[in-house]
């Protein structure tokens, strides 16, 4: 673990996001590594579609071996995937995956950028993808990224020449990158961007190919590689004590919500990049023919003359020895006219000066949040642990009119503490992911501030600027205001300092199902963002629904305290749906946001403000049975959804079940991807099948084909072959193949209309083959494809029934799709119609 944490500290230096808000700390070997990077003036841009698409081996190689500034441009934030570690889906999953990407870049030394494109789910062709994304908007974002990052080389993860052979998002990322390569230097293309940036022409663009493009390693060995560059990404970095592929594995393992934790690798490993446009480099050098020295910028040679000597004569025992030279280089750098390189290299150089001097600067709030109009107190710490002469001239909080001018010499290893207080401006923006502030479309987020487009996260609410005089030169150092605290079981912790509303509200159940006209009590939670909050809350509701009382007064004494108030909601007799929205009135202000906190150990805490609302659905639904056993898989909200229609759902740990334990349940439901992630199931198949054989109902939801151990070949009592078949069009036409089967008749009659309003997809990972005991119930297909009949199959087994379904109930139930509820109720009721008939005969 020692080397792991050593590397954690070094990578925080060379990009702009503040991973977990922790301060930078460096060994002298790490500082030398950074000096080497400071002296390389070249940039690479890696382009793909999603979090986890990036080749961390290549990004780390470019960053740590070539010493280049390396940026990963992900078209999306991964909003449409699944989550193996929690319940976040859709936009909240995008927030989580954004932070996991930043954690990965923290490991491999890269930077992270995005477009406004949304991961709307699997797409089979780039034509569909680019239509939903709004190609012009996303292409503009790619051009914007290239013009700002100014890469010398671009590397695409995917092949633009093979549309339809892989995920449409994948191919689209390469298509957009190729088009942008030819557009970014044309001032007539997206001219509105030139108010903030300048045209730029990369020198060459590559495709990161591999044997999988050719079907096998053997086939790839026979390919003419004269148009490719071979890079050995298994190189070892003595100054870091890690090989490149070990670093890459650490980076890849940050994608925890996708289950990508992996072993590290060591040894030689080749990556190939195929030239698509530009001139072919020589000697497997990506930057061949590109001036990556300080002489590439006017006035840079004088800076380089100093910094190359620092690198050549670096003193590992006493890095502070180089402070006079570093400060002189900083002075000269401020005279360079090239704003792009001056800005980038000034930040790198300042961080090296700070670390070389052993200077520690911190601005920490005693609270994790504040509200507009409230008083914020920031504790300042400054200490000089090695530099001979440093004066703390002033401390300025950006965004408010507050400043300290201590003008004090920082004595040798003598800590200086100060306190700043200010009133948070009333018009300040709340802390929340900027891309979620406005409603978007199915394919793109709405971001009206051009300067924010592409940024990985919302900038910090407040920054402290420390103006230091080092060796006679004034240098400003910027630090985000954070919240530093400790926990007995975790030690010292840091998290972002957030600006939040005075009050937020929440309805836990995001969908409220009314299976009849009975009145339900709905709890609204109210959370105070400051002390002594009082006001009233009412519930906006759709026409035809009744809510009482009309308004409820409340008072909360302590910041962070949460109370609940109850409203009674009566639905109409007829089927209906709409939204209920808590609206809180404090004086003359009305608040309607919900605060969602995403808090995992591997990412900084995220505060997300979303509209406070819940969907209400009045549906005429029937069910049979009451008690359901649910075996959780990769995490979903199906159990809560089933409880909405009156089932009692019992979460069962498969480790604990023995023969006969399940007999008391009307059905056993296996959660999504359970066979992929729950090892205990491989020992419990006989118990589950015994339950079915004795008359039980077992429902298995989708699992990812080919991602389980050999013991799971028998996920069903008969032969079933799972595939990658899926239907991605949520509006795809449905044909009912078995109209007389109880699954579409009892206790609810299922028609094609029940498949209206589905979201993101019909389903995924359908079986492609099954034994004759199974009956396929539905048929569906995407445009231009063959019919898929494996979305829902059922087979009798003994006295019970086994059902496998790839239909995306885990998406449809939480958003209140009526037809999905009715069909799932029928699945839980399978065989019960026969019991009912037998009872009537006996009667």
């Amino acid at each position: 673990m020692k080397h792991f944490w050593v590397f954690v500290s070094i990578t925080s230096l060379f990009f702009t996001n503040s991973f977990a808000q922790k301060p930078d700390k460096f060994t002298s070997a790490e500082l030398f590594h950074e000096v080497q990077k400071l002296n390389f003036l070249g940039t690479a841009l890696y382009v793909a579609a999603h979090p986890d698409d990036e080749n961390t081996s290549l990004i780390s190689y470019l960053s740590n071996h070539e010493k280049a500034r390396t940026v990963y441009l992900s078209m999306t934030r991964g909003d449409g995937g699944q989550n193996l570690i929690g319940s976040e889906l859709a936009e909240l999953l995008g927030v989580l995956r954004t932070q996991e990407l930043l954690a990965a870049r923290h490991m491999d030394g890269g930077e992270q950028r995005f477009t406004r494109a949304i991961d709307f789910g699997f797409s089979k062709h780039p034509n569909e993808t680019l239509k939903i994304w709004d190609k012009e908007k996303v292409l503009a974002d790619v051009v914007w990224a290239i013009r700002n990052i100014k890469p010398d080389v671009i590397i695409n993860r995917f092949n633009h020449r093979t549309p339809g052979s892989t995920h449409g998002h994948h191919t689209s990322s390469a298509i957009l990158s190729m088009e942008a390569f030819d557009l970014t230097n044309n001032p007539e293309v997206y001219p509105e961007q030139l108010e903030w940036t300048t045209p730029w022409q990369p020198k060459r663009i590559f495709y990161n190919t591999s044997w999988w493009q050719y079907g096998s390693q053997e086939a790839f060995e026979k390919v003419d590689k004269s148009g490719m560059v071979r890079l050995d990404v298994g190189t070892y970095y003595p100054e870091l004590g890690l090989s490149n592929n070990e670093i890459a594995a650490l980076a890849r393992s940050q994608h925890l919500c996708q289950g990508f934790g992996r072993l590290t690798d060591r040894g030689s490993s080749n990556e190939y990049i195929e030239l698509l446009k530009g001139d072919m480099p020589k000697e497997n050098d990506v930057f061949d023919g590109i001036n990556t020295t300080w002489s590439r910028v006017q006035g840079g040679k004088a800076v380089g003359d100093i910094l190359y000597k620092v690198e050549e004569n670096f003193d590992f025992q006493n890095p502070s020895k180089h402070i006079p030279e570093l400060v002189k280089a900083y002075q000269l750098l401020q005279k360079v006219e090239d704003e792009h390189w001056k800005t980038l290299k000034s930040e790198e150089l300042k961080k090296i000066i700070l670390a070389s001097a052993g200077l520690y600067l911190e601005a920490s709030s005693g609270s994790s949040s504040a509200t507009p109009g409230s008083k914020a107190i920031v504790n300042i710490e400054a200490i000089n642990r090695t530099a001979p002469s440093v004066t703390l001239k002033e401390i300025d909080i950006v965004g408010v009119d507050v400043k300290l001018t201590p003008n004090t010499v920082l004595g040798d290893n003598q800590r200086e503490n100060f306190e700043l207080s200010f009133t948070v401006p009333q018009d300040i923006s709340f802390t929340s992911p900027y891309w979620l502030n406005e409603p978007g479309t199915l394919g793109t987020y709405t971001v009206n501030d051009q300067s924010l487009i592409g940024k990985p996260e919302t900038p910090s609410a407040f920054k402290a600027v420390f103006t230091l005089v080092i060796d006679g030169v004034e240098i400003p150092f910027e630090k985000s205001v954070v919240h530093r605290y400790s926990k007995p079981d975790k030690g010292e912790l840091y998290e972002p300092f957030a600006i939040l509303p005075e009050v937020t509200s929440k309805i836990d159940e995001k969908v409220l199902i009314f299976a009849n006209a009975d009145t339900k009590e709905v709890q609204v939670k109210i959370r105070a963002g400051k002390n002594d909050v009082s006001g009233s809350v009412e519930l906006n509701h759709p026409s035809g629904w009744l809510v009482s009382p009309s308004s409820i007064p409340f008072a909360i004494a302590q910041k962070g305290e949460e109370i609940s108030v109850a409203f009674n909601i009566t639905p109409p007799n007829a089927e209906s749906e709409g939204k209920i929205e808590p609206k809180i009135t404090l004086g003359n202000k009305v608040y309607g946001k919900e605060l969602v906190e995403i808090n995992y150990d591997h990412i900084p805490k995220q505060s997300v403000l979303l509209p406070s609302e819940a969907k209400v659905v009045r549906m005429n639904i029937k069910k049979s049975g009451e008690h359901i056993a649910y075996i959780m898989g990769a995490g979903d909200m199906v159990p809560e959804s089933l409880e909405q229609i009156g089932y009692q759902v019992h979460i069962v740990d498969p480790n604990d079940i023995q023969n006969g334990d399940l007999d008391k349940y009307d059905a056993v439901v296996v959660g999504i991807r359970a066979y992929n992630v729950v090892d205990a199931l491989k020992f419990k198949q006989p118990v589950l099948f015994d339950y079915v054989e004795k008359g039980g109902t077992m429902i298995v939801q989708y699992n990812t084909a080919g991602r389980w151990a050999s013991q799971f070949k028998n996920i069903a009592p008969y032969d079933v072959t799972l595939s990658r078949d899926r239907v991605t069009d949520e509006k795809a036409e449905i044909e009912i193949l078995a109209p007389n089967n109880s699954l579409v008749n009892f206790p609810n009659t299922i028609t094609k209309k029940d498949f209206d309003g589905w979201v993101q997809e019909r389903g995924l990972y359908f079986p492609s083959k099954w034994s004759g005991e199974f009956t396929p119930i539905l048929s569906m297909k995407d445009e231009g494809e063959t019919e898929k009949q494996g979305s829902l199959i059922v087979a009798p087994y003994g006295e019970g029934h086994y059902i496998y379904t790839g239909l995306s109930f885990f998406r449809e139930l939480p958003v209140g799709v009526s037809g999905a509820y009715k069909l799932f109720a029928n699945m839980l009721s399978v065989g019960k119609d026969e019991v009912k008939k037998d009872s009537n005969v006996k009667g």
Side-chain angles (χ1 to χ4, degrees):
M1 289 298 292
K2 180 179 178 181
H3 287 312
F4 173 86
W5 289 113
V6 165
F7 194 73
V8 164
S9 68
I10 182 173
T11 52
S12 63
L13 182 61
F14 34 87
F15 77 119
T16 56
N17 98 91
S18 49
F19 177 75
Q21 312 300 309
K22 293 181 180 178
D24 303 329
K25 299 173 183 177
F26 308 98
T27 68
S28 58
E30 293 163 354
L31 271 175
F32 176 69
H33 189 76
E34 294 313 303
V35 172
Q36 290 179 308
K37 289 175 66 65
L38 180 66
N39 283 333
F40 188 93
L41 279 70
T43 304
L45 178 66
Y46 196 88
V47 179
H50 309 108
D52 84 5
D53 284 344
E54 79 275 24
N55 184 337
T56 55
S57 294
L58 192 49
I59 289 175
S60 178
Y61 177 87
L62 293 168
S63 176
N64 297 303
H65 180 271
E66 295 291 338
K67 306 296 191 295
R69 181 191 185 204
T70 308
V71 182
Y72 174 41
L73 175 63
S74 177
M75 296 290 143
T76 76
R77 296 176 184 267
D79 332 73
Q82 285 85 56
N83 184 357
L84 293 182
I85 63 173
S87 60
E88 294 86 4
L89 289 175
E91 68 272 11
L92 293 178
L93 180 61
V95 175
L96 171 57
R97 289 190 169 183
T98 293
Q99 292 299 318
E100 288 188 337
L101 271 175
L102 290 173
R105 298 295 76 77
H106 184 81
M107 294 295 166
D108 58 33
E111 298 178 30
Q112 187 62 52
R113 296 292 185 273
F114 296 94
T115 75
R116 289 171 289 178
I118 293 176
D119 177 2
F120 57 83
F122 192 87
S123 176
K124 293 182 177 179
H125 200 279
N127 289 348
E128 177 197 38
T129 298
L130 294 172
K131 180 180 179 181
I132 294 175
W133 276 356
D134 189 339
K135 179 183 175 182
E136 279 303 307
K137 285 185 179 179
V138 182
L139 179 60
D141 291 357
V142 178
V143 170
W144 170 253
I146 294 172
R147 284 174 171 174
N148 282 294
I149 296 165
K150 302 192 184 309
D152 299 298
V153 296
I154 297 175
I155 302 174
N156 292 339
R157 180 58 168 149
F158 299 106
N159 192 347
H160 69 287
R161 299 162 293 193
T162 55
S165 63
T166 183
H167 198 323
H169 297 182
H170 292 170
T171 311
S172 295
S173 70
I175 290 172
L176 293 170
S177 179
M178 289 293 291
E179 290 190 23
F181 183 87
D182 294 329
L183 298 175
T184 56
N185 203 34
N186 185 346
E188 296 182 2
V189 174
Y190 307 118
E192 67 279 2
Q193 296 180 359
L194 301 183
E195 182 180 347
W196 297 277
T197 188
T198 57
W200 177 256
Q201 182 57 58
K203 188 172 181 64
R204 51 182 73 110
I205 186 169
F206 299 93
Y207 159 50
N208 185 192
T209 189
S210 184
W211 64 264
W212 39 261
Q213 174 66 29
Y214 297 87
S216 68
Q217 187 68 50
E218 292 75 17
F220 185 56
E221 289 176 358
K222 300 175 184 178
V223 171
D224 178 10
K225 299 182 180 61
S226 59
M228 299 181 189
V229 175
R230 180 183 63 82
L231 305 171
D232 184 353
V233 298
T235 186
Y236 177 71
Y237 306 119
E239 69 273 23
L240 302 180
L242 289 167
S243 64
N244 188 75
N245 32 27
E246 286 177 298
I247 295 170
L250 289 171
R252 188 72 168 169
S253 294
Q254 300 309 302
H255 296 296
L256 297 183
C257 75
Q258 298 176 81
F260 282 171
R262 54 173 284 190
L263 292 171
T264 57
D265 299 318
R266 284 157 288 277
S268 179
S269 177
N270 290 327
E271 285 284 346
Y272 290 86
I273 54 175
E274 175 190 354
L275 183 70
L276 300 175
K277 291 183 180 180
D279 61 317
M280 186 68 187
K282 302 174 183 177
E283 299 179 359
N284 294 317
D285 180 3
V286 176
F287 290 93
D288 175 64
I290 300 170
N291 184 0
T292 59
T293 70
W294 277 101
S295 65
R296 83 175 289 173
V297 297
Q298 187 175 359
K301 183 179 181 302
V303 179
D305 287 344
I306 296 171
L307 294 178
Y308 290 134
K309 289 181 180 178
V310 171
E311 179 180 347
E312 183 180 356
N313 302 304
F314 190 79
D315 191 329
F316 289 88
Q317 291 186 327
N318 181 24
S320 64
K321 166 186 172 182
H322 301 292
I323 289 175
E325 300 158 280
L326 296 171
V327 168
K328 184 178 180 181
Y330 175 81
Q331 279 185 295
L332 292 172
L333 182 54
Q334 305 319 297
K335 300 176 183 178
V336 169
E337 294 182 2
D338 189 319
E339 288 296 326
H340 174 73
W341 284 112
K342 180 168 71 174
T343 299
L344 289 175
K345 292 301 178 180
S346 289
E347 289 305 308
E348 289 182 39
L349 183 51
K350 285 196 294 184
K351 290 177 182 178
I352 290 173
I353 290 170
L354 203 68
S356 298
L359 280 162
Y360 183 86
L361 306 174
E362 179 181 281
S364 173
S365 168
S367 174
S368 62
S369 67
T371 59
S374 68
K375 184 178 181 180
I377 298 175
V378 178
N379 299 305
I380 302 294
E381 179 181 339
I383 185 169
N384 167 26
R385 292 172 288 189
T386 65
S389 176
V390 176
T391 298
L392 176 57
K393 182 177 180 181
E394 66 182 31
I395 307 157
D396 185 20
I397 303 295
V398 178
V400 291
D401 187 20
V402 60
K403 181 185 294 186
L404 278 180
T405 54
N407 206 28
T408 184
V409 174
L410 296 179
D412 183 18
N413 209 27
Q414 300 299 307
R415 184 176 63 195
E416 298 287 346
N417 292 102
F418 307 92
E419 182 179 283
L420 277 168
S421 64
F422 58 89
T423 299
V424 178
Q426 288 285 359
D427 60 351
I428 193 171
S429 297
F430 293 127
T431 300
S432 190
Y434 69 86
W435 59 94
L436 299 179
N437 287 340
E438 300 290 337
T441 67
L442 173 64
T444 53
Y445 288 115
T446 298
V447 181
N448 296 318
D449 185 343
Q450 181 69 41
S451 68
L452 287 175
I453 291 175
K455 289 185 181 295
E457 55 188 347
T458 303
S460 301
F462 294 104
K463 297 178 185 294
V465 177
F466 296 77
T467 301
L468 303 183
V469 180
I470 303 176
D471 211 38
V473 177
E474 282 192 13
I475 305 176
F477 295 89
E478 189 176 89
K479 295 287 182 177
S480 293
V481 176
V482 298
H483 172 52
R484 180 168 66 100
Y485 65 108
S486 66
K487 285 187 175 181
D489 58 336
K490 293 186 177 180
E492 186 177 62
L493 298 170
Y494 291 79
E495 65 182 48
F497 175 61
I499 304 301
L500 301 175
E502 292 179 306
V503 64
T504 54
S505 60
K506 176 183 180 182
I507 300 174
D508 283 334
E509 298 84 3
K510 295 309 175 190
V511 175
L512 294 161
I513 304 297
F514 292 76
N516 52 47
D518 292 346
T519 298
K520 282 188 178 183
E521 183 180 88
V522 174
Q523 297 285 329
V524 176
K525 294 180 178 178
I526 303 172
R527 175 173 171 168
K530 66 176 187 176
N531 293 336
D532 299 321
V533 173
S534 62
S536 63
V537 58
E538 61 185 46
L539 206 57
N540 290 354
H541 56 85
S543 176
W545 294 68
L546 300 177
V547 173
S548 66
S550 60
S551 179
I552 300 176
F554 71 90
I556 306 176
Q558 296 294 322
K559 175 181 177 179
E561 183 181 352
E562 188 174 79
I563 65 169
S564 292
V565 298
F567 289 91
N568 293 314
I569 300 182
T570 305
N573 288 322
E575 292 194 344
S576 172
E577 65 178 57
K579 290 181 180 179
I580 54 173
E581 303 167 306
K583 296 298 179 183
I584 299 175
T585 300
L586 301 182
N588 61 355
K589 294 182 180 179
V590 177
Y591 296 88
K593 292 292 188 181
E594 174 185 348
L595 172 62
V596 180
E597 293 181 335
I598 302 175
N599 204 359
Y600 294 94
D601 287 344
H602 66 301
I603 65 168
K605 176 182 173 184
Q606 299 297 297
S607 298
V608 186
L609 293 169
L610 298 175
S612 182
E613 61 187 24
K615 184 177 181 180
V616 288
V617 182
R618 167 72 171 96
M619 66 174 72
N620 292 314
I621 187 169
K622 302 173 185 177
K623 69 182 187 68
S624 181
E626 183 175 358
H627 293 277
I628 307 300
Y630 202 94
I631 298 174
M632 293 298 296
D636 59 57
M637 298 177 66
V638 171
E640 296 93 326
S641 299
L642 296 179
E643 289 175 343
Q644 288 270 354
I645 56 173
Y647 287 102
Q648 294 187 44
V649 181
H650 309 266
I651 304 300
V652 174
D653 185 342
N655 288 289
D656 298 334
I657 59 175
Q658 303 296 328
N659 280 324
D661 289 352
L662 301 173
D663 295 348
K664 58 189 175 185
Y665 299 111
D666 295 296
V668 173
V669 181
V670 181
I672 61 172
R673 298 179 68 175
Y675 287 98
N676 302 134
V677 299
V678 182
D679 288 339
L681 279 176
K682 64 189 175 186
F683 306 115
K684 300 300 179 177
Q685 290 295 81
V687 177
L688 292 168
F689 294 158
D690 178 70
Y691 161 77
V692 178
E693 192 171 21
K694 291 190 296 186
T697 297
M698 180 179 177
I699 300 170
V700 177
Q701 298 176 83
Y702 101 91
N703 282 266
T704 306
R707 292 189 183 178
W708 53 59
S710 59
Q711 295 94 327
F712 286 141
K713 288 181 178 178
N714 61 332
I715 64 166
Y718 308 113
D719 290 340
V720 172
T721 301
L722 298 189
S723 71
R724 299 182 67 85
D725 287 350
R726 62 174 76 203
V727 175
T728 62
D729 182 0
E730 64 270 26
K731 298 179 182 179
E733 186 71 18
I734 300 294
E735 180 183 354
I736 298 176
L737 298 174
N740 297 322
N741 193 280
S742 66
L743 284 186
V744 290
N745 289 285
F746 179 80
N748 304 285
T749 300
I750 303 298
T751 68
K752 291 183 179 181
K753 190 175 185 303
D754 289 301
F755 292 91
D756 293 346
W758 284 50
V759 299
Q760 187 160 318
E761 63 200 353
R762 289 297 191 194
L764 62 171
Y765 292 103
F766 298 162
S768 57
K769 297 178 182 178
W770 50 85
S771 68
E773 289 84 0
F774 282 100
T775 298
I777 305 300
L778 306 172
S779 177
M780 59 192 72
K781 67 174 182 177
D782 281 321
E783 184 179 355
E785 295 194 353
T786 59
E787 294 285 340
K788 305 294 186 292
Q789 299 185 355
S791 64
L792 177 60
I793 58 175
V794 58
Y797 182 66
E799 298 180 15
H801 294 81
Y802 176 95
I803 297 171
Y804 186 91
T805 180
L807 292 171
S808 59
F809 289 106
F810 72 101
R811 296 194 191 280
E812 314 312 322
L813 298 184
V815 298
V817 177
S818 300
Y821 274 92
K822 293 177 181 178
L823 182 54
F824 211 101
N826 283 12
M827 291 160 53
L828 293 169
S829 305
V830 67
K832 306 294 191 301
D833 58 335
E834 298 170 6
V835 173
K836 185 175 181 180
K837 291 175 185 177
D838 289 344
S839 176
N840 290 337
V841 170
K842 292 175 183 177

